[in-house]
Amino acid sequence: MLTIYHFPQDEAALREQLNRTVSFDSDAQRTVDEILHRVRTEGDAAVLDYTERFQGVRLSDMRVPEAEIEAAYAEADPEFISILEEAFSNITAFHRNEAEQSFFYERPGGVILGQRVTPMERALLYVPGGKAAYPSSVLMNAAPAQVAGVDEIYMSTPCDAEGKVNPHILAAAKVAGVTQVYRLGGAQAVAAFAFGTATIPKVDIVTGPGNKYVALAKKQVFGHVAIDSIAGPSEVVVIADAGAEPEFIVMDMFAQAEHDPDASAVLITPSAELAAAVQEAAARLAGTMLRGEVITRALTDNGAIVVTSSMQEACKMSDMIAPEHLELHVDNPWEILPDLRHAGAIFMGPWSCETVGDYFAGPNHTLPTNGTARFFSPLSVRDFVKHTSIIAWSKSELARAGEKIARFADHEGLQAHAEAVRTRLKHL
């Protein structure tokens, strides 16, 4: 199930095994292109048609009534509500530290420069609800949007063939203060909020994970709206030393692999003995898991155990992958942290399992995948704000620097740019 590779000897085979892509198959591309075109041109009628086709229900009202949200909250297990509330408090507290302030400063000559930070007006939080429902995604999307000060926060999640939305998702929406919930899923939901329809508002940003059709739709509507990122299958890399606990590692690899057959889980270690122990434990325990078939397929197709010559080489190998989640099962994780540059989230030590980050710790679990952690960041307050430059130039400073500016424009061959300054200089 898990093959052991030796780096760098087996580098070519390892790269082939761990090859990740952000491309989409042509059938999915055609399907999404058709959905986007119809929703953009036909509006609500197309949304309702696709909802009936893919979700199995002809909706009379696309929005979930607030009474239904309240009922889901009231009927939920009180202990679960308490857990949701504590988790949301942790997530909100973390994101408050990301809040940015506008700034202004004065230069000689009466010039004032600055940057104004303003929240976006409307945001769509997409929450998966097909094969599995993720109330955690509600909390993780809502907290940074609220901290940023977004005026109108909408949520969309698929309903079942009876038009019902998963009650755990609705309970989480209540905890997170999200009242405008739509029972729409897939590319048609993304398109509806990206373009707007007669009954669905056009938003400024779409965030949240989904299947390949949702991911491709987000990619296609980028430019009409902002997006957080294009999410791919989940992935984890574990760096471990000889003293690590094999079963901790195996369960953390399983935790990613159970998401999807396309998920990836990789152990990197300088210890051949640990590598063998993890390989044996994974083979022994996979059959005991409820999603054992999914785990086995994911680890067979996209998993690996990599034996390196040193911990420094292990860090280099991890940076090559740039994983969504990186766990450090080592004696002193802070010691090797400076050697690691590329990861969506780093979990320090054996007690900081990735599951803690998924649900409870506070940092966002919406993370860059497919190696995009080299240049993308986790979902944050910064995704829900925009920055506007402020320039207040004075008459005296234009008199001092105006001709320099005009000559700069001359060198770019832009006459009107230069004359816009020189015309003002004539009035001084």
Side-chain angles (χ1 to χ4, degrees), residues 38 50 57 150 166 183 189 214 270 280 345 372 385 388 409 417:
R38 281 201 58 200
Y50 284 120
V57 60
V150 175
N166 183 283
R183 49 179 118 239
V214 170
E280 182 278 328
T372 60
V385 300
T388 304
H417 279 64

Side-chain angles (χ1 to χ4, degrees), residues 172-345:
K174 168 68 175 177
V175 168
V178 179
T179 59
Q180 302 187 82
V181 180
Y182 287 74
R183 49 179 118 239
L184 305 172
Q188 62 270 22
V190 174
F193 283 92
F195 303 133
T197 71
T199 61
I200 295 175
K202 179 183 180 348
V203 298
D204 302 310
I205 183 170
V206 176
T207 70
N211 62 20
K212 65 180 179 180
Y213 298 100
V214 170
L216 182 53
K218 287 171 66 178
K219 181 180 180 182
Q220 297 290 83
V221 300
F222 177 65
H224 297 279
V225 293
I227 63 172
D228 49 352
S229 63
I230 303 167
S234 194
E235 57 200 27
V236 66
V237 165
V238 178
I239 294 178
D241 58 22
E245 170 54 55
E247 288 197 8
F248 285 10
I249 296 169
V250 169
M251 284 303 158
D252 291 354
M253 296 176 78
F254 282 5
Q256 292 308 303
E258 73 175 349
H259 275 294
D260 191 296
D262 292 328
S264 176
V266 180
L267 166 64
I268 308 175
T269 179
S271 170
E273 292 77 13
L274 179 68
V278 168
Q279 183 184 51
E280 182 278 328
R284 172 169 46 85
L285 295 171
T288 68
M289 307 302 293
L290 292 176
R291 295 176 62 82
E293 290 185 9
V294 174
I295 290 169
T296 298
R297 182 175 165 191
L299 295 183
T300 300
D301 293 348
N302 310 296
I305 297 173
V306 186
V307 178
T308 60
S309 62
S310 66
M311 188 57 68
Q312 290 70 31
E313 193 172 70
C315 293
K316 290 180 181 178
M317 181 73 219
S318 176
D319 271 353
M320 287 171 55
I321 298 172
E324 177 187 17
H325 307 95
L326 172 59
E327 294 189 355
L328 306 182
H329 291 233
V330 300
D331 184 53
N332 186 355
W334 298 98
E335 187 175 278
I336 66 169
L337 184 61
D339 296 327
L340 295 160
R341 299 188 64 180
H342 306 304

Side-chain angles (χ1 to χ4, degrees), residues 17-228:
Q17 173 71 1
L18 300 181
N19 180 46
R20 313 290 276 166
T21 179
V22 292
S23 63
F24 297 89
D25 62 82
S26 57
D27 287 343
Q29 182 78 57
R30 282 191 294 271
T31 298
V32 170
D33 285 346
E34 175 195 309
I35 292 171
L36 296 184
H37 174 73
R38 281 201 58 200
V39 172
R40 191 173 187 183
T41 56
E42 301 174 30
D44 288 336
V47 176
L48 291 170
D49 285 349
Y50 284 120
T51 301
E52 184 174 19
R53 175 177 167 187
F54 296 123
Q55 295 172 224
V57 60
R58 187 77 183 184
L59 296 174
S60 57
D61 186 358
M62 290 182 277
R63 184 172 170 181
V64 178
E66 287 191 43
E68 194 172 320
I69 300 172
E70 294 287 346
Y73 178 84
E75 294 167 10
D77 178 358
E79 182 184 15
F80 180 55
I81 293 296
S82 177
I83 292 169
L84 286 175
E85 289 174 343
E86 186 174 351
F88 190 63
S89 176
N90 293 343
I91 298 162
T92 301
F94 175 85
H95 283 296
R96 284 198 187 104
N97 289 286
E98 297 174 334
E100 297 180 85
Q101 301 294 321
S102 300
F103 66 85
F104 298 89
Y105 65 97
E106 189 171 357
R107 283 180 46 188
V111 171
I112 298 174
L113 303 173
Q115 185 178 84
R116 189 179 65 173
V117 180
T118 53
M120 295 187 183
E121 291 184 24
R122 295 174 172 173
L124 171 68
L125 318 179
Y126 185 88
V127 177
K131 294 179 181 178
Y134 298 110
S136 58
S137 289
V138 178
L139 308 185
M140 292 289 180
N141 277 266
Q146 290 181 345
V147 172
V150 175
D151 295 332
E152 298 175 36
I153 299 174
Y154 304 92
M155 190 181 95
S156 194
T157 189
C159 64
D160 63 18
E162 296 180 352
K164 299 293 186 182
V165 169
N166 183 283
H168 289 164
I169 287 179
L170 294 182
K174 168 68 175 177
V175 168
V178 179
T179 59
Q180 302 187 82
V181 180
Y182 287 74
R183 49 179 118 239
L184 305 172
Q188 62 270 22
V190 174
F193 283 92
F195 303 133
T197 71
T199 61
I200 295 175
K202 179 183 180 348
V203 298
D204 302 310
I205 183 170
V206 176
T207 70
N211 62 20
K212 65 180 179 180
Y213 298 100
V214 170
L216 182 53
K218 287 171 66 178
K219 181 180 180 182
Q220 297 290 83
V221 300
F222 177 65
H224 297 279
V225 293
I227 63 172
D228 49 352

